[in-house]
Amino acid sequence: MDELTSKVHLIRRFGPVVSVKFPSFEETGLVRHLFSTRRGGVSSGNRAAMNLGFGRGDNAETVYENFRRISFISGIYPGDMVFSDQVHGDRIMEVGPMERGQGLIRPRKMSGVDALVTNRREVCLTTFHADCPAVFLLDPIKKAIGLAHSGWRGTVLEISRHTAEKMGELYGSRPEDILAGISPSIGPCCFEVGEDVSGVFEALFSEHLDEVVLPSPKEGKSQVNLWKAITYSLLDAGLKPENITVTDLCTKCQEEYFYSHRRMGNDRGTMAAFLELI
Ligand SMILES: [Zn+2]
């Protein structure tokens, strides 16, 4: 088994559980956070092993056990987790103590929410992923956080920029103070799209076309770099380049460590992103 390595992430191993973190977030001492891998859980088959998605064919007790393991290695209490309800849209919801546990230990009341923000401690923002980037945001000055699910649709809706702006509206966050991290997700190496999708990126990121939309060897196809697109979106919001950590891990390439919708289709597990203020 190849070891997972990264130039930009901390790769944490705790027994069999492997998780991915951002050094810039860890250094603040203000948050608990991680992006899960597929290693160290109890799911089997194509969902092996750390499937965090209910409704992917695993029995619920298996998924609960996986969450218990994530809780054990991270110190995040399951009752503090608040699940998003992702629809590839751009709706952002502020959550607080009232929403704690929604999705995991209590029914979820929200619907159609792809990004969450809070400035309350021990409210763990939780989003779900299997190629789509998670965008982590932390304002260490105002002590506020945001977490966005940014697949290609969310990226062209600029959900990351809007989430940073929401933190400004609600908490007075200044963009130049906000730290950002783009999680492991499908890389420019593997995100092949047709002209319908590349055209949307070409229109929105016309100033950075050579970095966002790359040629493909296949006729009528292009390779989109979501990591660059999200980065430019965050720079437009006023974030500083040195405060943005862009992943170097492609979920489709690293099949021993990540589920990938592109590689596996619907017969797969789901990873999750977790972020809470301590
Ligand atoms: Zn790749």
Side-chain angles (χ1 to χ4, degrees):
M1 182 86 50
D2 290 340
E3 286 244 320
L4 187 66
T5 58
S6 167
K7 291 191 170 71
V8 299
H9 295 292
L10 302 168
I11 310 293
R12 287 285 164 82
R13 293 174 177 81
F14 197 118
V17 182
V18 180
S19 63
V20 177
K21 296 186 176 217
F22 298 104
S24 60
F25 281 58
E26 202 71 344
E27 283 159 13
T28 65
L30 294 172
V31 292
R32 296 187 187 96
H33 83 289
L34 67 91
F35 188 81
S36 70
T37 70
R38 61 185 296 184
R39 308 302 300 278
V42 295
S43 303
S44 56
N46 272 2
R47 291 180 297 275
M50 184 61 84
N51 169 39
L52 296 173
F54 290 96
R56 301 222 64 85
D58 259 345
N59 70 57
E61 205 40 58
T62 300
V63 183
Y64 282 125
E65 173 58 24
N66 290 339
F67 272 100
R68 273 191 284 275
R69 290 178 177 214
I70 291 290
S71 175
F72 183 76
I73 63 142
S74 65
I76 298 168
Y77 177 56
D80 290 341
M81 294 176 187
V82 182
F83 287 11
S84 59
D85 178 49
Q86 297 162 203
V87 292
H88 294 278
D90 65 349
R91 188 158 160 246
I92 303 157
M93 184 170 155
E94 182 184 33
V95 294
M98 293 291 286
E99 284 77 28
R100 275 188 186 129
Q102 278 195 22
L104 186 60
I105 62 166
R106 296 195 286 134
R108 184 168 43 191
K109 290 190 180 152
M110 73 182 79
S111 64
V113 173
D114 279 79
L116 300 167
V117 295
T118 193
N119 67 347
R120 304 295 298 268
R121 294 172 54 234
E122 293 170 351
V123 173
C124 182
L125 312 183
T126 309
T127 55
F128 298 91
H129 305 270
D131 280 341
C132 297
V135 181
F136 291 68
L137 300 171
L138 164 62
D139 173 0
I141 308 300
K142 300 289 185 186
K143 297 186 175 58
I145 54 175
L147 184 63
H149 162 246
S150 184
W152 78 261
R153 288 186 183 84
T155 299
V156 296
L157 291 167
E158 295 199 85
I159 191 167
S160 303
R161 176 164 70 83
H162 295 311
T163 305
E165 288 167 354
K166 192 77 165 180
M167 290 166 64
E169 285 164 33
L170 294 174
Y171 313 125
S173 294
R174 298 186 313 166
E176 59 267 36
D177 294 329
I178 296 177
L179 306 176
I182 302 172
S183 78
S185 44
I186 194 162
C189 40
C190 293
F191 192 40
E192 181 187 279
V193 299
E195 286 165 0
D196 50 337
V197 174
S198 63
V200 183
F201 280 88
E202 283 165 12
L204 192 61
F205 297 97
S206 55
E207 287 174 38
H208 310 288
L209 214 50
D210 52 334
E211 292 178 88
V212 174
V213 182
L214 311 165
S216 162
K218 288 196 198 156
E219 178 81 27
K221 301 283 186 185
S222 303
Q223 304 281 128
V224 163
N225 189 336
L226 288 175
W227 303 342
K228 285 279 184 192
I230 294 167
T231 299
Y232 283 117
S233 221
L234 291 168
L235 293 173
D236 277 352
L239 273 71
K240 291 181 173 176
E242 62 269 31
N243 287 344
I244 303 172
T245 305
V246 181
T247 190
D248 58 1
L249 296 173
C250 170
T251 45
K252 183 162 181 280
C253 289
Q254 298 278 353
E255 64 183 296
E256 290 177 352
Y257 285 91
F258 299 107
Y259 306 111
S260 165
H261 188 78
R262 272 289 167 118
R263 193 180 64 242
M264 309 173 79
N266 275 320
D267 188 16
R268 58 164 173 82
T270 294
M271 282 103 53
F274 301 88
L275 175 61
E276 75 170 1
L277 290 162
I278 297 171

